[in-house]
Amino acid sequence: MDVQMAVFHCADGFMKQLMVTKLSQCQYALPLLVPDPFTQQIEFPLWTFKQINKSWKMRNSNNETISKNQPIYKAETPMVCFFRFGSVSSSKSQLMNSLINEKHNTFFHRNCPGSSRTRVLMDGVVEIAWFCPSGKNTDKFTDCVAFCNLHGDAGDHEKQLQILTEMASVNVVLLPGLDRNDKHAAIIQNLFTNTKRLICLFTEDKSTVIEMKKGKFRIGMKDRNQSDVSEELRRAINDCLSPSTFRLEDLSKHSDIRVDEEDNEDCRRGRDAAQQMMSLLEDKDLTEIKKSFLPCQGKLWHQWSQKNKELHRPQGDETEMDISRKQTEMNKIRQQQHECDISDFMEHIIKAMNSNTGNKMIFYVKWLRIILDEHTSADLSALHHKYNKKWSAVVKLKENQFKAEQTELERISEDLQAASFGLEHIMREIGQIYESCSSVKKNKKDLQFHFSSLPNLAAEMMISGFPLELMDGDAAHVPVIWISAVLDAIIQKLGDQRVFVLSVLGIQSSGKSTMLNAMFGLQFAVSAGRCTRGAFMQLVKVSDEIKPRMTFDYILVVDTEGLRALELAGRSTRHHDNELATFVVGLGNLTLINILGENPSEMQDILQIVVQAFLRMKKVRLNPSCVFVHQNVSDVTAEEKNMEGRRRLQEKLDEMTKLAAKEEVCDEECFSDVIRFDIESDVKYFAQLWEGSPPMAPPNPNYCENIQELKKMIMSHASKSHGMMLTDLKVRIKDLWEALLNERFVFSFRNSLEISAYRKLETEYSKWTWSLRSAMMETESKLHNQLENEAMHKIEETNLQRALKTPNEEVKKSMSRFFEEDKDKDILIQWKTSFHIKIKDLQENIIRETKRKLNEVLQQRDLKKKIDAQRTLHENTLFEKSKELALQFKDKANDEQTLKKEFDLFWKQYVNRIISHTPPIQNIDALRDVKLLLIDVYESAPVDHWRQNRDIFSVSSFSDYVQLKKSSGTVRHVTNTIRSVKEKLGYVLSQEDETQIRSLVTDVFQQTNKMIKSFNISKMGYNISFIQQLTDYIKARVIEHEQGPVKYVFKNEFFMDLVYSIFNSANKMITDQHQIFKEVNDPVIYVEKKREEYYSIFKKYCHGATSAAIFGEIICQKLKEPIEQSVYKKTARDLAGEMRTNCESLNGNRSNMEKHILKTLAEEEDFGKYMNYIKTPRDHFKGFIRDEVSWYITDKLSVSVLPKIKENIELLQQKIMKAAHASTEHVQENSGDVDLWLKRFTQHLSGELIFSEKDLSGVKHDDVDDFNLLEDVIRQELPAIVLNLPLISDIETFDAKLDFKFRPDELLIDHFCQCCWVQCPFCSAICTNTIENHDGDHNVPFHRVDGINGWNSLLTKNLCTDICTNLVTSDKIFITSDGFFPCKKYRSAGGVYAKWSITPDCSELPYWKWFVQRFQKDLEKHYKKQFEGQGKIPDEWRKLTKQDAIECLNTFI
């Protein structure tokens, strides 16, 4: 006891209250008066009693049982006080225990295990305990009686004695005997003469009970049977008990003791603030309080919840207008909630919670809960009594009388629900205030704080250890907006901590909350009248002691309402239980299944619900663990009985699995097929909680041991789990609830989870592929240089494989880590093999493509040898002629004017000679060539056709381009019945036909683009035969399409417009590439660029420079262009890598880029660009990447681009000088000549630059023998050469200087655009899979409005406002060339429809609703149709702003 008191003295107010509350639950005596060990001032810890309630039953004069449940500090009971004088041989505490409960040591005494006779801190302490009757004849006392025990010699503690004797109904004193000379005789004499009842127990007297005078008894104890003494004492106390009552809180009226509540300022302020709140509730009908003071959570919240469920569960005939109407109604309800006045009660509470922090806030909340419970307990108790009485009467009635009484019973039940008023309802109201403000996006007029601060209040409470309602049990709904905001606030305060979620399921009143409270010291409501409704969550911090063994920081415990709850009978169904079970099982890393008893028939209902929930988890690839807890098992020590119980449980689980499997349409046969479950270790048997019959029964020690064992098992499970981050928990809650709302949980939730996990996988895949591509780009650049330098004559695949070996190993490691350690690894595992294959295929494809490109370089190198030889001839001739001219004017070396004049004359003559022998390369006009070719083919084409210049990529319909095949005749009954007169004149394509033709156009465009690039015009020049090759290919594709299963053929205009549109799009690329070729290979242009170089060499020869010096300068001049190319290529690769990291739109996967594209489109509001994006998305993506690269280069020119160029130049300079030095050393060591030096020099640089011996083949250098001088000249001249390199100022510089395939935008286009571009046949949304020709279905998280793609209602010109996810739940039909098909079975239409997975849910992007209402007229004009009739745009859409559209992208994508 001294240890207990030492802890009590050291504890703060909260810890003291917790200690006393736990002592009370365990039926131990509680410290009532506690002397300070230093000052001896007496403290009355009233605060510690505030959470204790006592229940008892007694009989009235009519022999009716009356139940009472009261806060103990308020209870009015008789009080019996025990104390002693002097040293006595018998234990006073032991004697008191025999009166209260002889089987339990309520008061710790000298004979208890671990006790000692010496006391340090217990002397003077007064303890109190209560006897609570059960209303039976065996009760020792018929009323609740308080027993106080003063420890130590009462004579030494006069103040305590005085207080107790004044307040007691009966004083019981122990003493050895009576002696007038005894120092305590005067006190005993006063007690004897006092009117208070007195019982004297003499330890040295053998007499039985004697009533010395009325109300004064004497009982001897010496040599007597303890039970006899106890029985006599009990009878005497019963005789003495009078109506005088004792109330605990009255002790605080004594002026000479300190009351902890008054002494602690935070506690006192919290109490005063809470009492001020409660004054507002005085004289109010308890059943009307919630309606009056908490209006947001009542009828309006229930209506909104119901509407939300209806919205997620649409009927087959609903249109988008109906859905919009529901959304409007929901918004109106939110508006009504928002307009509800905040009651003074709630206003004061929010203000108090906002203004108090830390301990002040905790005290305030605790006081609020205490006073609310006190305020409602009496009325709730009366209503429960009334309900029970009525229920008993109803059970006895015949069927014809039953209905009338049943109505009354339901009314009382509704009153009970209305009268339940606790802290959870206040927090629920705050949550609804937040949700309504968040919905209408403005503060409530009478809310003194901004609504965004409200989640902080709940977050503070959760962090401080209070539970928070997760699912509203009254509305059976999860307030997702509120819960998400609270979790965000917790993350803001604690950081994104990792949590292990422990949830519990069981039938009502099976002890779930009690078990959790006992295990983790939680605060879930456990009293019989306050069963948990809905679900609550509470944070438990992992202690520093066990944290090293865990991978998480907190345990989040989720407690739920009981399955088969009686309060829900008649209005709840098995569906509700399934919903709740699925929700908490899906949320938990581990779920405790709490079962009362062992009877399999009792377990059957709950087990089927639980098994079905776990079966759903398996189907959505969540793998929670479970533990079964059997409570109230009588003989838990019998091993053979436990084995039998486990066997029966296994059989029942297997039986329930088969039943649940039928309902979920799957083929699992036994429970172990559903979840990893060990019947030996994952089943726990719990002893009964109470050792005896309540209300006086103490907890069963075996139960406590069982709790500890279960806790160890839970921590063992937890240590093997990674839990989840708080941000992931927030998403999980939202996804689970959304899926449950959709009533197709498995389909919806799996889709939601898989989309989320797959997006993450796509992002990682993007990183892995870039890692491999960027490594190969470096290798390709080196090998390209070596091929151009003729240092290599064959491409070996092994070289390419070797180049990818290291990055491939790093990618494999990264993939292994990702698939093994990611929190969604159980979902991701389904794609592990396919992605390993994809990476392998990608690697092979990269190698194959690189080899193909390098082989093209090899082939083209041989083809352009003639061009290169011509250029080399011109250069070398110029060099020799310049040298000869210099020898003539050597004596006039100092006459700069003469030298310049003579050189200019020589130069002019030589250039004229070149022009006469070699015609200049002409400019080209590819579009003119295309027109001429097409005119030759289609002489009958109307002249005006070219003037129209129709862009086939942006046409709204291809109907004008087609006509019926002759074989089709006029037998198309469907067509003839649904087409208008105008349509009969031609052929109106179905939406499916339109999609197929657009796919053809897009694919032909992509393939021709690849062909144009393969022509390598920048190296080989333009040839009109290219046009013929391309048009032949296009023609073949068009014919191939016509020969397929289509009912139309193309008119000539289709082919002509297609060809022209493709070349119109590619014209700039062809022209730019030809310009590069021209600048490099046109002799006049090229020679003119070399003028200054040769003039410099000419002057140096005139001044008598040595051959080595001249040769060194020539080498530097020859290196200028290769250096420029190498630096630009390297800079382009570096910039592409940097943009992949730093550029927000390019640093993720394609979905991330699409979000930025949509933002840009919304900001620009250009309908033409929108249609380009909708109809030709790949082309639009490419344009966006080019724009982003252009912007980045311009924006980061000085901070990134130029420093990179400088760095790459310096790096290349170092390599060149290193090569020169190594060549000099090699020649000197081997006594070689200049040819050896040059060979060695070019070999060193063959991987870095396109520079070889052939570049100097015509330059005579036989007389160069001073290699040190040669190296010095290169070192001196090279910086000036690189200093004059043209700097990059924008993307145009790259366009002008680099072949397209080396540009940064093209490198990124290659990376991002090699993915799936298939569009939804209904709305044109692009499949988000980042892999081209991927396995499985196409899908997209958010579909668009179908009218965007031109879909209209049957037999009308009314554009659709349906969104695919709603369309596939409707009873509507659509038409293809093969007939009519129901939208619900859209896959049955075959073709592209069969390859799409469209989730029937409420997932939609408000962005596209805004787009439709913003560009309504443009869309109507484009498609020549209207948004009318069933396709009328809902009014709700018109409220959306551009800002709403942009913001939703951040929320949903």
Side-chain angles (χ1 to χ4, degrees), residues 79 138 266 279 318 458 758 870 908 1009 1042 1122 1152 1425:
M79 191 260 276
T138 54
D266 290 343
S279 65
E318 282 188 0
Y758 201 84
Q870 184 72 28
K908 186 177 179 182
N1009 249 0
E1042 289 176 330
N1152 175 65
K1425 301 172 186 177

Side-chain angles (χ1 to χ4, degrees), residues 1112-1127:
E1113 183 172 349
I1114 290 171
I1115 288 173
C1116 289
Q1117 294 292 350
K1118 293 280 187 182
L1119 281 172
K1120 182 177 180 180
E1121 189 175 325
I1123 289 173
E1124 180 183 286
Q1125 281 291 303
S1126 179
V1127 167

Side-chain angles (χ1 to χ4, degrees), residues 254-320:
H254 284 266
S255 58
D256 48 355
I257 62 173
R258 190 176 78 226
V259 182
D260 60 349
E261 283 182 13
E262 304 297 335
D263 201 44
N264 187 315
E265 186 179 354
D266 290 343
C267 182
R268 188 176 69 252
R269 285 185 175 179
R271 180 194 63 197
D272 295 343
Q275 286 175 340
Q276 185 183 357
M277 299 299 99
M278 297 311 297
S279 65
L280 298 170
L281 303 182
E282 287 177 4
D283 304 323
K284 298 286 191 296
D285 183 349
L286 190 60
T287 59
E288 297 294 322
I289 283 179
K290 280 200 287 193
K291 191 185 291 184
S292 304
F293 293 98
L294 311 177
C296 289
Q297 67 178 270
K299 184 180 177 183
L300 292 174
W301 165 231
H302 289 212
Q303 285 176 346
W304 189 94
S305 300
Q306 185 59 36
K307 289 289 179 190
N308 194 33
K309 287 182 179 178
E310 290 172 9
L311 180 69
H312 283 78
R313 299 163 187 176
Q315 301 303 309
D317 57 349
E318 282 188 0
T319 64
E320 197 62 39

Side-chain angles (χ1 to χ4, degrees), residues 1182-1200:
K1182 288 181 179 180
F1184 178 79
I1185 292 171
R1186 291 188 182 104
D1187 290 343
E1188 288 293 279
V1189 171
S1190 177
W1191 172 86
Y1192 190 88
I1193 289 173
T1194 305
D1195 187 61
K1196 305 289 182 182
L1197 187 67
S1198 58
V1199 296
S1200 180

Side-chain angles (χ1 to χ4, degrees), residues 329-343:
E329 288 171 3
M330 289 169 66
N331 289 338
K332 282 180 182 176
I333 294 170
R334 284 299 193 198
Q335 187 65 43
Q336 288 172 348
Q337 277 186 313
H338 187 263
E339 289 168 359
C340 286
D341 293 332
I342 295 181
S343 63

